[in-house]
Structure formats: C-alpha cells, structure tokens
Amino acid sequence: MLQQKLEMAQWTITYLEQRNKQLEDEQTLDELWRIHGDGNLARRRLGDLVPVEREAMLLRLNAHLERLLAKANQDNNLLRNMKNHYWARMHVCKARMKVLQRRLAKAQK
C-alpha cells in the first residue's frame, strides 16, 4: 500500500514538474513576443499608423469624399435645373403680362 502511494506521489511530482516546465516555456515565449512587439512599437512614433491601417483609412476617406462629391454634383444639377425652370417661367409670365397689358390698352380705347 505504501509502495503504491509512493508511486502515485512520484507520478504526481513528475507531472507537476513537466507542467511547470511547460508553463515556463510558454511564459518565455510570451515575453519574447512582447519584446518583439515592443520593438516594433518603439520604431514608430506614438500616433503613427501601420501601413495597412493607413491604407485602410485612406480608402475609407477616399470613398467618403467620393460620396460627398457625388452629392454636391447632384445638388448642383438640381440647382441648375431649378434655375432654368424658374427662368423659363419668368419669361412666360413676362410674355403673359405684355399680352394682358395690350388687351387692357385696347379695352380702354
């Protein structure tokens, strides 16, 4: 019985030692990755964008500006059409006024 307990204790100690070694290796690897990442960050100024982030931001900004330009062009076309419409109506109304003034002048004679 004691022999069996001794073997179980040795197995547990061996398992814990292996697990401890595995955790230490993972911690060392994590530290190496952190140092590598900090090295990359140290090379850039604070607030600088990674080239991929910069390109993505510029693409989004370009799409936004294209939408604004399309909207401005649409508004410009609408205003141009409104101006032409009201200019034509104004001339139609002026022509009607002249016709009515002539009729009025004839009616008064």
Side-chain angles (χ1 to χ4, degrees):
M1 181 82 161
L2 288 175
Q3 182 68 27
Q4 189 179 12
K5 286 185 180 182
L6 178 64
E7 288 174 3
M8 287 177 58
Q10 287 176 344
W11 182 86
T12 304
I13 290 171
T14 304
Y15 171 77
L16 291 175
E17 286 174 350
Q18 290 174 352
R19 181 69 179 141
N20 193 22
K21 175 75 171 121
Q22 184 181 10
L23 290 174
E24 286 175 1
D25 291 342
E26 289 177 6
Q27 183 180 9
T28 304
L29 187 60
D30 287 343
E31 287 175 4
L32 287 174
W33 275 110
R34 193 175 319 114
I35 289 169
H36 180 286
D38 290 345
N40 284 339
L41 291 177
R43 281 185 236 133
R44 295 188 296 132
R45 290 188 310 243
L46 187 61
D48 283 352
L49 295 175
V50 176
V52 173
E53 293 171 347
R54 179 176 165 76
E55 184 177 350
M57 183 194 68
L58 289 175
L59 287 173
R60 281 195 313 270
L61 184 61
N62 193 22
H64 175 67
L65 291 175
E66 285 176 354
R67 283 192 302 271
L68 288 178
L69 181 61
K71 174 97 170 80
N73 286 338
Q74 184 180 12
D75 291 345
N76 194 15
N77 288 338
L78 180 66
L79 289 173
R80 187 179 300 116
N81 291 339
M82 286 174 61
K83 183 210 49 117
N84 291 337
H85 172 75
Y86 286 111
W87 183 85
R89 286 196 55 151
M90 177 189 67
H91 284 282
V92 167
C93 289
K94 281 185 176 181
R96 281 186 186 165
M97 282 175 44
K98 285 183 183 178
V99 169
L100 291 174
Q101 284 174 349
R102 274 190 245 129
R103 283 186 187 170
L104 184 61
K106 283 183 186 178
Q108 289 177 350
K109 288 185 184 179

